[in-house]
Amino acid sequence: MVLLKDLNPDEFQHRLKHQGLRIRCGPYVYNLQSAEQKIIDGLSLLYADFEVILEETFADFHIAMRPSGWSQQLRGVVEFYWDGRCPMNIIEVRHSYAFLEWGMNWCVSIGSDEYLKLHAAVLEKNNKALIMPGLPGAGKSTLCAALTLSGWRLLSDEHALVPLHTGTVVPLCRPVSLKNESIDIIREFDSSAVLSQVAEETHKGRVAHMKADLAPNSHDATPVPTALMIFPQYEAGAEFSLRRKLKTEAFMFAGLHSFNYKLLGETGFDTMTQLMRSVDCFDLRYSSLEEALAAVNHLEAEVFKE
Amino acid sequence: MNNLLLQVIDNPAVCVDFTPGQWDVLIPQARNSLLLATLYRLLEQRDLLDKIPLPPRNHLFSGVVTHDRQMLSLDYEVKWLLRAVQQLEVPLVLLKGGAYLQAQLPAAGGRLISDIDLLVPEPQINAVEAAFNAAGWLGGHTDSYDERYYREWMHEIPPLSHIERGSTLDVHHTIIPPTANPNTDASKLIAAARELRPGLMVLAPMDMVIHSATHLFHEGDFNHGFRDVLDLDRLLRHFAETESGFWDELVPRAIELDLLKSLFYGLRYSQKIFGTPVPPQVLAASYEGVPTKALVPLMDFLFMRVLAPNHFSCARRFDGVARFCLYVRSHYLRMPMGLLVLHLGRKAWKRRFTKAVDVEDPEYAEDGDRD
């Protein structure tokens, strides 16, 4: 197995610029192609420990980021190509790495219906998975990054991939996306966290990505049994509260924030039912990250030992 | 020959021996041609699914999940459509993908649709639109120029979208813009349409073929050209077997509808690409519909380029030129030169001076419409 950091920089860049660099991420292989310095820097920093595939192989997603011609080159913008087509608006070069990460998520969001996909952060401890669905702004990424830095294994910060008719999740470990204040909170939380350069003034504000494959088995794609579902809600100044959530309520919320629950129809319902049977659900409201971490670790100790 | 998709459609068993590198090309070709689900169904019919590697099979499966959901949604939407026009006693004629699915034609196997195309009699189009509005399908996203473009010059009203379910309707009163050259009498199509169930109709087999060809060769949209020719191939093969006198009456019917030229191109490329067994005398008779026969080799050059799967593995020199030429062609076919110049000028002006505001957010691609 060849890791990206084992490739000599010339070969890495040559592949990235020409035929594409093939990186294994969980159950998928991405073929990435770009000559942008931002992307070279971002990948060599955050994907150093990912497996690269050098021989002929099937790639699930072919992504390229490059200017469509000299006019875009002069304007300092690039296109996001997916199988050669451009499904997105043009992207400023300074945002190219952040958009690559979003684009890599997007490919999974719009396809991959061999899984029930929840919009959630997923982590693992003692071979039990914790799923944290959340609305944007609920603080799930921050909490997820902090847990990753405190001994949990990140399975995904965006998609809970539940194989159909099971109550397990398949890991798809990639960098965690941090926005605005979260960037500084995480830097303060752990000064050893490896962060990409900050992309300023994107449509979501400031964005940075954090290296998240910190566990020895980060890239193991074996399905993990689920045990816990926490719905985090960060609120400045809010009093800490942790209460058990009705599974029916959790079911509705998770379904509403799933990428393909509706699309999968009966199969989606059946899979969600199985998932809900295997997890204990909680609502977590917090204003301090330390409190939230302590609560999650406490629940892990309580619930996982059962 | 890099068109692996064509090879697999021709003989699905070949993909059992495909290398990972070949799958790496086939899946994007199929995805860009909207044929992932179609491939899944083809392999399923022949019990070949278990013989192909799991990673590419998952992509085919994802396609079929969308397809299955669309069939279900279409059933549901059709119920509401019929309810909406119940009082009017107007026949609703489904066109294109929606018709293939509802009529359960072989062309429906894995066929994806993006919206529901309907044909209604022109005198009743305002009443139908009002009824759809009342049922929740509303227009929108059009400015006064677009509104006028549709109402005065086009063969359809501006698209209607359901406020709750998001389903989109394209309601046509004829199948070709009134500003275009052919003089097609849509009432003939409606008169010959066949009833699927009370109130719901599809075009008669010959008309369905002629419309499929006209849609492809008269409009400038070749993004899914390969899939569209496959539709045509499947319709032709099916009706040739199930409809007596199909081949004998096809050309006369196209003449009656003034759409022989489009039929000729349809037959020609369906045969060239998928080897559709078109009887030589039918092809020869349809050739009479081409006014400038010297141009046919040029058209071959252009069409064979844009009708390949839209993927770089199928790219050839001058693809861009071909696409551009056919885009221009579709416009001059659609309206007279004076109007065309005004329309394109107006479009260029709008593009230049109207700021694009919708930033696509890649992070929250919701489920549903992927066509």
Side-chain angles (χ1 to χ4, degrees):
Chain A
M1 188 163 87
V2 184
L3 302 186
L4 193 145
K5 65 182 175 198
D6 302 332
L7 275 188
N8 83 52
D10 287 341
E11 188 178 359
F12 161 61
Q13 290 197 27
H14 182 86
R15 282 185 178 264
L16 190 60
K17 280 179 191 165
H18 297 93
Q19 70 268 49
L21 183 74
R22 300 202 160 196
I23 302 183
R24 192 184 299 285
C25 303
Y28 295 124
V29 175
Y30 283 90
N31 184 71
L32 307 176
Q33 204 186 6
S34 183
E36 297 302 330
Q37 193 58 44
K38 292 264 178 216
I39 287 176
I40 296 172
D41 293 346
L43 290 176
S44 40
L45 185 68
L46 302 184
Y47 286 78
D49 295 311
F50 280 66
E51 182 192 351
V52 291
I53 299 160
L54 305 176
E55 64 272 26
E56 185 192 270
T57 177
F58 171 75
D60 292 274
F61 309 110
H62 299 81
I63 296 174
M65 286 185 86
R66 58 183 149 77
S68 64
W70 57 268
S71 150
Q72 287 199 348
Q73 186 122 41
L74 287 177
R75 283 153 63 204
V77 296
V78 290
E79 292 276 8
F80 174 87
Y81 288 90
W82 179 51
D83 286 340
R85 293 179 304 154
C86 304
M88 294 182 199
N89 286 346
I90 51 171
I91 297 147
E92 291 177 55
V93 165
R94 63 188 179 131
H95 298 158
S96 55
Y97 183 72
F99 266 87
L100 175 68
E101 288 285 349
W102 282 330
M104 289 170 78
N105 285 341
W106 179 82
C107 291
V108 174
S109 301
I110 67 148
S112 306
D113 297 314
E114 70 272 28
Y115 300 108
L116 171 67
K117 292 169 294 178
L118 308 189
H119 186 208
V122 194
L123 298 115
E124 176 263 348
K125 209 171 199 179
N126 299 324
N127 200 34
K128 296 269 176 65
L130 152 67
I131 300 179
M132 293 197 295
L135 293 168
K140 77 177 160 64
S141 286
T142 321
L143 185 53
C144 166
L147 286 166
T148 305
L149 293 165
S150 348
W152 288 72
R153 169 164 75 119
L154 177 83
L155 304 189
S156 171
D157 88 322
E158 177 75 10
H159 298 105
L161 301 178
V162 184
L164 301 179
H165 309 292
T166 74
T168 64
V169 280
V170 167
L172 174 51
C173 175
R174 288 194 16 242
V176 173
S177 142
L178 297 170
K179 285 169 232 138
N180 302 315
E181 308 84 58
S182 306
I183 302 172
D184 297 319
I185 293 174
I186 289 303
R187 274 190 182 135
E188 226 169 87
F189 180 80
D190 184 344
S191 55
S192 68
V194 177
L195 296 190
S196 70
Q197 252 183 34
V198 177
E200 305 282 351
E201 299 170 323
T202 74
H203 63 297
K204 294 194 176 223
R206 305 171 71 225
V207 174
H209 285 83
M210 183 188 93
K211 187 173 191 302
D213 51 342
L214 309 177
N217 57 342
S218 275
H219 296 294
D220 182 352
T222 315
V224 179
T226 55
L228 194 52
M229 189 177 272
I230 298 177
F231 296 80
Q233 181 61 58
Y234 170 82
E235 207 181 306
E239 206 172 303
F240 173 84
S241 84
L242 177 69
R243 62 171 189 91
R244 197 172 270 275
K245 195 180 180 87
L246 283 175
K247 286 196 179 189
T248 44
E249 210 185 321
F251 188 118
M252 295 303 285
F253 188 94
L256 213 57
H257 297 283
S258 158
F259 292 93
N260 61 349
Y261 171 68
K262 233 172 70 186
L263 184 74
L264 287 166
E266 205 178 330
T267 308
F269 179 83
D270 180 67
T271 307
M272 190 75 95
T273 306
Q274 290 211 36
L275 176 66
M276 287 302 163
R277 286 207 175 112
S278 60
V279 290
D280 282 299
C281 304
F282 294 88
D283 265 322
L284 168 66
R285 211 158 71 110
Y286 68 99
S287 54
S288 133
L289 189 58
E290 275 68 29
E291 261 178 353
L293 280 175
V296 173
N297 283 319
H298 171 72
L299 280 181
E300 185 266 327
E302 288 290 301
V303 172
F304 285 12
K305 100 182 150 208
E306 283 166 20
Chain B
M1 188 60 185
N2 292 320
N3 194 341
L4 298 178
L5 185 53
L6 178 61
Q7 291 176 29
V8 177
I9 288 169
D10 209 35
N11 176 16
V14 295
C15 70
V16 171
D17 300 317
F18 271 9
T19 63
Q22 283 174 303
W23 282 108
D24 196 51
V25 172
L26 177 65
I27 293 295
Q29 284 182 352
R31 181 181 287 126
N32 286 357
S33 307
L34 302 180
L35 290 174
L36 288 172
T38 303
L39 277 195
Y40 185 94
R41 287 275 181 257
L42 274 176
L43 296 173
E44 188 182 45
Q45 280 160 16
R46 287 163 182 76
D47 278 332
L48 293 169
L49 280 173
D50 294 343
K51 298 195 170 73
I52 66 171
L54 187 60
R57 199 205 308 166
N58 279 337
H59 291 270
L60 301 181
F61 177 77
S62 283
V64 106
V65 166
T66 302
H67 167 74
D68 288 349
R69 177 73 211 182
Q70 286 190 347
M71 290 214 293
L72 208 62
S73 305
L74 181 65
D75 269 346
Y76 187 68
E77 295 299 325
V78 163
K79 268 182 207 153
W80 283 104
L81 286 170
L82 292 176
R83 195 173 293 185
V85 297
Q86 214 168 19
Q87 307 298 326
L88 299 176
E89 294 188 358
V90 178
L92 291 182
V93 183
L94 277 172
L95 299 173
K96 300 193 278 186
Y100 311 154
L101 291 175
Q102 286 284 302
Q104 298 176 344
L105 294 172
R111 177 67 152 77
L112 297 179
I113 57 173
S114 57
D115 37 28
I116 301 172
D117 292 281
L118 293 167
L119 177 68
V120 297
E122 189 171 15
Q124 276 132 305
I125 192 144
N126 289 332
V128 170
E129 186 181 3
F132 286 160
N133 286 163
W137 279 282
L138 305 177
H141 293 302
T142 48
D143 59 20
S144 54
Y145 178 79
D146 287 339
E147 198 72 20
R148 185 170 162 223
Y149 171 79
Y150 276 106
R151 304 275 173 193
E152 281 188 28
W153 301 322
M154 281 299 109
H155 49 308
E156 57 184 319
I157 61 174
L160 304 175
S161 179
H162 197 274
I163 44 169
E164 281 166 8
R165 303 190 299 273
S167 59
T168 308
L169 307 180
D170 278 340
V171 186
H172 303 71
H173 51 80
T174 178
I175 59 168
I176 197 160
T179 50
N181 238 338
N183 185 14
T184 303
D185 182 356
S187 62
K188 287 181 183 162
L189 296 169
I190 293 172
R194 293 189 180 178
E195 193 169 76
L196 287 181
R197 50 182 185 273
L200 186 69
M201 325 198 58
V202 294
L203 293 178
M206 283 184 295
D207 293 353
M208 201 184 270
V209 165
I210 293 166
H211 177 232
S212 171
T214 304
H215 182 73
L216 180 57
F217 292 98
H218 220 275
E219 309 273 322
D221 182 10
F222 295 101
N223 279 330
H224 317 120
F226 185 74
R227 191 273 311 264
D228 295 345
V229 186
L230 179 62
D231 279 346
L232 202 50
D233 168 69
R234 291 179 152 192
L235 292 176
L236 287 165
R237 286 178 196 262
H238 176 67
F239 292 139
E241 272 188 21
T242 56
E243 298 290 321
S244 64
F246 175 75
W247 287 122
D248 297 337
E249 291 159 32
L250 186 59
V251 168
R253 180 63 170 172
I255 293 172
E256 195 183 350
L257 296 169
D258 201 11
L259 295 170
L260 188 58
K261 186 168 79 170
S262 290
L263 177 66
F264 166 74
Y265 285 126
L267 296 175
R268 182 173 181 88
Y269 297 114
S270 181
Q271 189 190 50
K272 264 183 184 292
I273 296 169
F274 294 105
T276 320
V278 184
Q281 70 277 13
V282 174
L283 202 58
S286 68
Y287 187 51
E288 295 309 312
V290 182
T292 329
K293 299 193 168 47
L295 282 182
V296 171
L298 173 67
M299 296 321 263
D300 282 352
F301 177 88
L302 300 176
F303 279 127
M304 289 305 279
R305 279 177 164 69
V306 301
L307 296 177
N310 191 0
H311 185 250
F312 70 87
S313 55
C314 296
R316 288 193 280 166
R317 284 184 73 180
F318 306 116
D319 275 1
V321 178
R323 221 161 268 279
F324 178 74
C325 290
L326 290 171
Y327 175 76
V328 174
R329 173 184 181 269
S330 74
H331 273 79
Y332 79 65
L333 286 179
R334 202 177 299 170
M335 45 182 91
M337 191 48 91
L339 190 56
L340 176 61
V341 169
L342 282 174
H343 174 62
L344 290 182
R346 174 73 199 224
K347 266 173 82 169
W349 174 271
K350 256 172 73 176
R351 201 171 305 152
R352 176 77 182 77
F353 295 107
T354 330
K355 227 173 138 193
V357 280
D358 59 317
V359 176
E360 197 164 342
D361 185 349
E363 212 169 335
Y364 296 108
E366 284 293 345
D367 62 357
D369 215 350
R370 291 170 197 182
D371 193 346

